[in-house]
Amino acid sequence: TKDAPAPTRSANPADVASEDAIIAALYDVISGPPGKARDWDRLRSLFAPSARMVPIVYRDGRPTTVVLTPDDYVARSGERLTRDGFTEREIARRSERFGNLVHVWSTYDGRFTAPGATAPPVRGINSIQLTHDGTRWWILNIAWEAESASNRLPTKYLP
C-alpha cells in the first residue's frame, strides 16, 4: 500500500483546533451545490499523511471494503459530488477518548441536490479516528457504511 501524499497546503488552524472543528470541516468540504468545485486541498489538509478512507460496499450481496487515500477518494467521487451537488450533515455523534486518541461514531444524512438527481437520500455512520499531536487534530482514518433496509441505524446512534 502506498503512503498518501502530505497535505498540499497547511490546514486552516480553525479547522483543526478541536474535535468539533475537524468533524465540521470534514462535512463542510464535501458538501456543496451542483457545479460548485470542492476545496480538495482543504480536505487533504485534515488527514494525517498515512490516513485511509474506507467505505463498506456490497458486491454480490456481500460486504466488502474499498481502501482509499484522500486522493483516491477525490478521484473516485469528486466529479460526481460537484456535478450532482451533494450535502452531508452530521445528525448525531458518540465519541470516546483516551489520551490523544478519539473514536467518533458520526451518524450522517446525505443527499444529492441537482435537479433530476436520481440517487435517494442516504444515512449511515462514519467511524472516524482522530489524534492530537500537541498542536492540532488529524483524521487518522474514516470507515463508513450506509444504512440499508437490512441494516438499519441503531437507536443509540440517532438523535
Side-chain angles (χ1 to χ4, degrees):
T1 306
K2 65 180 181 171
D3 282 338
T8 54
R9 75 164 190 223
S10 298
N12 176 341
D15 283 348
V16 296
S18 68
E19 296 168 44
D20 287 341
I22 199 166
I23 299 292
L26 175 66
Y27 282 107
D28 184 57
V29 77
I30 65 169
S31 296
K36 179 181 183 250
R38 305 307 192 266
D39 184 348
W40 296 124
D41 284 343
R42 181 183 183 203
L43 176 87
R44 290 178 189 99
S45 77
L46 304 175
F47 286 84
S50 61
R52 297 294 180 255
M53 301 175 79
V54 186
I56 297 169
V57 298
Y58 286 79
R59 294 196 176 123
D60 300 322
R62 299 181 55 116
T64 188
T65 58
V66 179
V67 179
L68 307 167
T69 65
D71 281 336
D72 295 334
Y73 175 82
V74 170
R76 182 177 189 231
S77 302
E79 183 180 321
R80 182 174 186 210
L81 296 178
T82 299
R83 180 187 66 234
D84 294 342
F86 183 75
T87 59
E88 187 172 278
R89 65 188 178 99
E90 184 178 62
I91 60 173
R93 183 188 309 173
R94 294 172 61 109
S95 298
E96 292 189 22
R97 182 174 183 169
F98 175 75
N100 293 301
L101 177 64
V102 176
H103 188 147
V104 178
W105 295 97
S106 178
T107 306
Y108 64 84
D109 176 88
R111 57 196 69 240
F112 288 94
T113 59
T118 58
V122 63
R123 296 188 318 172
I125 295 179
N126 287 315
S127 171
I128 306 168
Q129 292 176 322
L130 303 173
T131 190
H132 194 274
D133 67 2
T135 303
R136 58 159 286 179
W137 286 95
W138 295 92
I139 298 172
L140 294 173
N141 295 294
I142 300 176
W144 67 92
E145 184 168 0
E147 181 179 43
S148 67
S150 63
N151 189 28
R152 306 303 298 177
L153 290 171
T155 304
K156 71 181 183 179
Y157 295 113
L158 293 171

